[in-house]
Amino acid sequence: MEALSIFQGMTTVLGDPVTLIFVFLGVIAGVFVGAMPGLTATTGCALLLPFTFGHEPLHGLLMLVGVFTGGIYGGSLSAILLRTPGTPAAAATMIDGFPMSERGEAGRAIGLATVASFVGGSVGAIVMTLLAPKLAALGLAFGPPEFFALTLFGLAMIVAVSGDSLVRGVMAAAIGMWISTIGFDPIAGSSRYTFGIRELLGGVELIPILVGLFGVAQVLARAEKLLVFPKSPEKEKFLPRLSDLALTKWTAVKSALIGVFVGSVPGAGCDIAAFAAYSELKRSEGVGSDLGKGNPKGIVAPEAANNAATTGALIPMLSLGVPGDAVTAVLLGALTIHGFEPGPVFFSSNLDLIYALFAGVIFAQLALLIVGLSLTGLFARLIRIDQRIMIPAILFLCMIGSYSVRYSLFDMYVALIFGCVGFLFEKVRIPLSPLLLGVVLGTLSEQNLRRSLIMSHGDLAIFVQRPVSLALTAGAFFAIVFMVLRLRRSTT
């Protein structure tokens, strides 16, 4: 029965050329939106949502899914070329992608990101098609203790992404977590660390921080050194090498599975999935690896994970009516507008639409592969632009991206301030990725810690009494211990 439904879904999509056109249009729009710093996939879906009115529900939904898929991938382009992640999910890709671009291998890096995104999204789509209800039920098992344990596990990644600078990494993460506490207390409702500045009452937005730490800081570094990128060789191949694909195939599959699991947990998101996969890669490669210096696996792992997370996030939305992240919240609104009510009943009463949507997600991955590989050469040649033009152009994009989040001049000032912070931190060799991770996980960690303690009346045993939270807490503990022991062993 299930195989027949999948076949019928494929037939529905392939039998209607208009559906495929909507998928391609969504992917193309998503790639360009995601590549613009500050303009996330959420922004793209929200902007295109009105265009789905008056069209068939499947057409509109698949166009938005295409924007989601293309937007997450598009963030890697600016991360690799400009060291300015277009989306938070691309911050981990930047760690190894930009060094490859500096070596004159921008085309190779983008090609790897494209293929990894296709593999990750395809694995996620297959898992979603076969196991959606089961994974959704697992995601619902996450309460406050499990979410706190998940963020604890994420914060343990700091050890991995900090390399040989454990103390600096922990310090940067602590600063990031402090930044996440600025604004209203989520439980008590009182203001914290606002210093009388009204604009800080709502906290500091993630996008201006991201754009400032990596985009504006890079502008300052280029302006200081008048950095000129090595030009790509005239005969550079813009497709990934067969040796690269052979080397990274298992990394892609493992990272995709991590991504689809993390994506299926409501509230986790693609950025956490990318850092989770990069952390696991760092652990498996060992202390002496060249991750962070342009290792192809360092591009494949986060890109496979964050694109698998896009399909994972659809699972709780469709089967339970619970959005996995901000983009699926927009998709949930689109379904509602078209007269559907996602949830268990929707899953059983709209099988034709469900499996056609699943098939469309798979075709969205194919569209991403075609579009991405077709444009790889064009994007890679951007690094040949004269730096006297590139520096002000990057700064302009950073400011526009920061302003577009809330249409606030204050967010532009935030980006400039964090640009200076990022520039100074790199001078004293304080890693920026742990700071960003601290900001991303800080709010989620604090809220769920306090909710858990309210549930247990202050008893910390709640984190080891539930199997999922116990497993995640133990995993975080052993990850830290294991990495510290390896670091000590490597220095003796």
Side-chain angles (χ1 to χ4, degrees), residues 30-43:
V31 168
F32 282 96
V33 168
M36 297 284 287
L39 297 181
T40 62
T42 307
T43 305

Side-chain angles (χ1 to χ4, degrees), residues 111-128:
L112 279 168
T114 304
V115 174
S117 298
F118 166 73
V119 172
S122 299
V123 170
I126 293 169
V127 172
M128 177 182 68

Side-chain angles (χ1 to χ4, degrees), residues 379-396:
F379 283 122
R381 290 186 180 93
L382 290 176
I383 63 172
R384 301 184 183 185
I385 297 175
D386 191 313
Q387 295 302 296
R388 290 171 295 181
I389 300 173
M390 181 70 80
I391 289 173
I394 295 174
L395 183 60
F396 175 76

Side-chain angles (χ1 to χ4, degrees), residues 72-73 75-76 89-90 93 112-114 116-117 120 274 299-308:
I72 296 299
Y73 160 75
S76 68
T93 307
L112 279 168
T114 304
S117 298
I299 296 175
V300 169
E303 281 303 299
N306 60 32
N307 280 271

Side-chain angles (χ1 to χ4, degrees), residues 306-321:
N306 60 32
N307 280 271
T310 63
T311 53
L314 294 173
I315 293 172
M317 184 203 77
L318 292 173
S319 57
L320 300 170

Side-chain angles (χ1 to χ4, degrees), residues 164-184:
D164 58 354
S165 182
L166 178 60
V167 175
R168 292 191 181 98
V170 171
M171 182 177 69
I175 294 172
M177 294 190 72
W178 170 75
I179 291 169
S180 72
T181 65
I182 295 174
F184 278 114

Side-chain angles (χ1 to χ4, degrees), residues 178-200:
W178 170 75
I179 291 169
S180 72
T181 65
I182 295 174
F184 278 114
D185 184 310
I187 305 297
S190 57
S191 62
R192 305 176 299 185
Y193 308 117
T194 59
F195 307 105
I197 301 173
R198 185 182 61 184
E199 288 83 358
L200 288 178

